[in-house]
Amino acid sequence: MVEGRAGRGEWIGLAVLVLPCLLVSMDVSVLFFALPFISADLQPSGTEQLWIMDVYGFALAGLLITMGALGDRIGRRRLLLVGATAFCAASVLAAYSWSPEVLIITRGLLGVAGATLMPSTLSLIRVMFHDPAQRKTAIAVWTGGLTLGATVGPIVGGFLLDHFWWGSAFLINVPAMVLLVVLGPVLLPEYRNPAAGRFDVRGALLSLAALLAVIYGIKKLAVDGFAPVPVAALVVGLLLGAVFVQGQRTGRSPLVDVALFRVRAFSGAVVVNVVAMFCFIGSTFFTTQYLQLVLGLRPFTAALWSLAAMPLIIVGMTVTGVLASRVRVATLVASGLVVLASAFVVLTQLTPTSPLWLVLLGAGGVGAGVLMTTSLTSDLMLTAAPAEHAGAASAVSETASELGGALGMAILGTIGAAIYTADLPNGPSTLGEATATGDAPLIAAAREAFTHGLTVTATVTAVIAAALAVIAYRTLRHIPATTKDPVAA
């Protein structure tokens, strides 16, 4: 493909690339409705049920860096098609699982396949769209696909389970993946690093172990509070991460070029991604519970109402795309973070009797601010790296998002839980437990305590987002409005 502006073929190819993004993010949330049906059918233990939910995310996050580097070496389109085939096969196996153990294994395989898809799609965008404005638009569409998948996952899951058995929540993946395998060779270019060295097996194992340990520790701390095992996992993961980074600095064929972090455009974008996802996932944890347990909406109804946030998101993304070629990226990123901070200010005004539109306005503003920001930072990370290392760079982008989300759940969830407990010291430990008692005065007090926790965490995230807006502007202001690649300064 000749460098220049992308034509119709590239845009059709982008539509094909969005398919796996949509499904990979959907698979994170689609089990929310299916889990009770799976529990009734397969009768997993409490531990097995947790693994059914978590193993997908663990495998996905742990292998992103490895798969990004592998795609740079064997070919990004090849890895994408292999991953799509594996995702399709694992979906069929998961749908017809006959025991909890089989479902855990197949969910893990789905995570492994998902890890091949995510960095491949983003790095192929780097190859297909050379024009900066078009590339920013393409990445915005790619980011929108991820968000749409996470949003419609519960809705699709609820619809399918109203009409079919729980396995249908997995079979929905099959037609789209078959379409990707058929159209990919025709519409997508192949690219591999012609100067790639030997694959760093030791580095791959270290990155997997470090990320799994860190994410496991963070998630367990978020759910169970302070305990020796998750703390030990977190410490071990950080130590392994330090060994991994040292190996990448001195190795001949590293998975990740550590020197990229000395490029302000790259390192600044990574920090923004981590913190933006920290705020986003942490706040979503509270707003979804607020809709269901405070306002009393049924889960499926709450999921449908969440679509009301889409117009705000679309407007924010459209404005960002239009201005991307005319306004400095620092201004746009900072503006997205100001939108994010403003949305959190809206959420600080919630009470147990607030109207539905107020929480939807706040949640929609959060989604718009995060997507306006991360679509730009993903582009920065992708183009700050040489084209031959785009797969590894896109994997760093995705890993930063995963870590930010895990930290948001852990830290903000802990803050909210501490405030809830302080306000209701002798009551049930969660709002869900309080609601199940049917005791009206207790439920009212629990809703008040939960909402207090939500507004305090919204205040914390508003301050963080506002501070990050200033930091991001100062870090990224050297990048001009239009350029083929960010200035490596």
Side-chain angles (χ1 to χ4, degrees), residues 269-407:
V270 169
V271 171
V272 170
N273 256 30
V274 170
V275 179
M277 293 307 296
F278 170 92
C279 296
F280 176 66
I281 298 298
S283 68
T284 302
F285 171 74
F286 286 99
T287 53
T288 53
Q289 291 188 77
Y290 180 89
L291 288 171
Q292 296 177 46
L293 299 177
V294 177
L295 297 186
L297 300 181
R298 293 174 54 227
F300 188 55
T301 304
L304 287 174
W305 271 112
S306 67
L307 292 178
M310 292 307 294
L312 276 176
I313 293 173
I314 292 171
V315 169
M317 297 288 284
T318 302
V319 170
T320 301
V322 169
L323 296 178
S325 61
R326 307 170 190 171
V327 179
R328 285 181 177 270
V329 69
T331 302
L332 292 176
V333 169
S335 299
L337 291 169
V338 169
V339 171
L340 182 61
S342 302
F344 286 129
V345 171
V346 171
L347 294 178
T348 64
Q349 305 306 303
L350 291 177
T351 69
T353 57
S354 292
L356 176 61
W357 66 263
L358 188 62
V359 65
L360 294 178
L361 176 64
V366 169
V370 167
L371 289 178
M372 289 167 65
T373 302
T374 55
S375 63
L376 293 166
T377 53
S378 294
D379 178 62
L380 285 176
M381 281 185 272
L382 198 61
T383 53
E388 60 270 19
H389 295 300
S394 61
V396 170
S397 170
E398 291 302 308
T399 303
S401 297
E402 292 287 335
L403 286 175
L407 286 168

Side-chain angles (χ1 to χ4, degrees), residues 87-364:
F87 202 89
C88 185
S91 296
V92 174
L93 290 173
Y96 293 100
S97 295
W98 57 89
S99 71
E101 294 83 3
V102 173
L103 185 55
I104 290 168
I105 292 170
T106 52
R107 283 278 289 170
L109 292 174
L110 281 168
V112 173
T116 70
L117 299 173
M118 300 301 290
S120 297
T121 55
L122 187 54
S123 58
L124 280 171
I125 289 174
R126 173 79 161 86
V127 178
M128 295 164 62
F129 295 90
H130 297 279
D131 179 77
Q134 288 189 323
R135 187 178 59 240
K136 287 181 174 67
T137 301
I139 291 177
V141 172
W142 178 87
T143 307
L146 290 175
T147 305
L148 183 62
T151 301
V152 305
I155 299 172
V156 172
F159 175 81
L160 290 174
L161 292 165
D162 278 346
H163 298 84
F164 307 102
W165 98 113
W166 59 264
S168 61
F170 294 104
L171 291 182
I172 192 68
N173 299 328
V174 174
M177 288 300 169
V178 169
L179 190 64
L180 174 60
V181 171
V182 171
L183 296 180
V186 179
L187 296 173
L188 302 176
E190 181 58 288
Y191 186 90
R192 57 177 294 187
N193 180 3
R198 295 179 59 185
F199 186 73
D200 183 5
V201 176
R202 176 177 177 273
L205 293 175
L206 278 172
S207 71
L208 174 62
L211 286 167
L212 286 180
V214 167
I215 292 173
Y216 172 82
I218 291 171
K219 285 196 170 188
K220 292 298 287 181
L221 287 171
V223 174
D224 302 331
F226 184 86
V229 172
V231 170
L234 192 56
V235 171
V236 169
L238 292 174
L239 290 174
L240 290 174
V243 175
F244 169 75
V245 171
Q246 181 59 29
Q248 298 305 290
R249 292 177 60 187
T250 57
R252 288 187 175 182
S253 302
L255 298 179
V256 178
D257 184 2
V258 180
L260 279 174
F261 287 91
R262 292 197 290 269
V263 179
R264 289 193 329 192
F266 187 86
S267 57
V270 169
V271 171
V272 170
N273 256 30
V274 170
V275 179
M277 293 307 296
F278 170 92
C279 296
F280 176 66
I281 298 298
S283 68
T284 302
F285 171 74
F286 286 99
T287 53
T288 53
Q289 291 188 77
Y290 180 89
L291 288 171
Q292 296 177 46
L293 299 177
V294 177
L295 297 186
L297 300 181
R298 293 174 54 227
F300 188 55
T301 304
L304 287 174
W305 271 112
S306 67
L307 292 178
M310 292 307 294
L312 276 176
I313 293 173
I314 292 171
V315 169
M317 297 288 284
T318 302
V319 170
T320 301
V322 169
L323 296 178
S325 61
R326 307 170 190 171
V327 179
R328 285 181 177 270
V329 69
T331 302
L332 292 176
V333 169
S335 299
L337 291 169
V338 169
V339 171
L340 182 61
S342 302
F344 286 129
V345 171
V346 171
L347 294 178
T348 64
Q349 305 306 303
L350 291 177
T351 69
T353 57
S354 292
L356 176 61
W357 66 263
L358 188 62
V359 65
L360 294 178
L361 176 64

Side-chain angles (χ1 to χ4, degrees), residues 35-44 97-98 165-166:
L35 194 59
F37 298 90
I38 292 172
S39 297
D41 187 16
L42 302 182
Q43 298 183 341
S97 295
W98 57 89
W165 98 113
W166 59 264

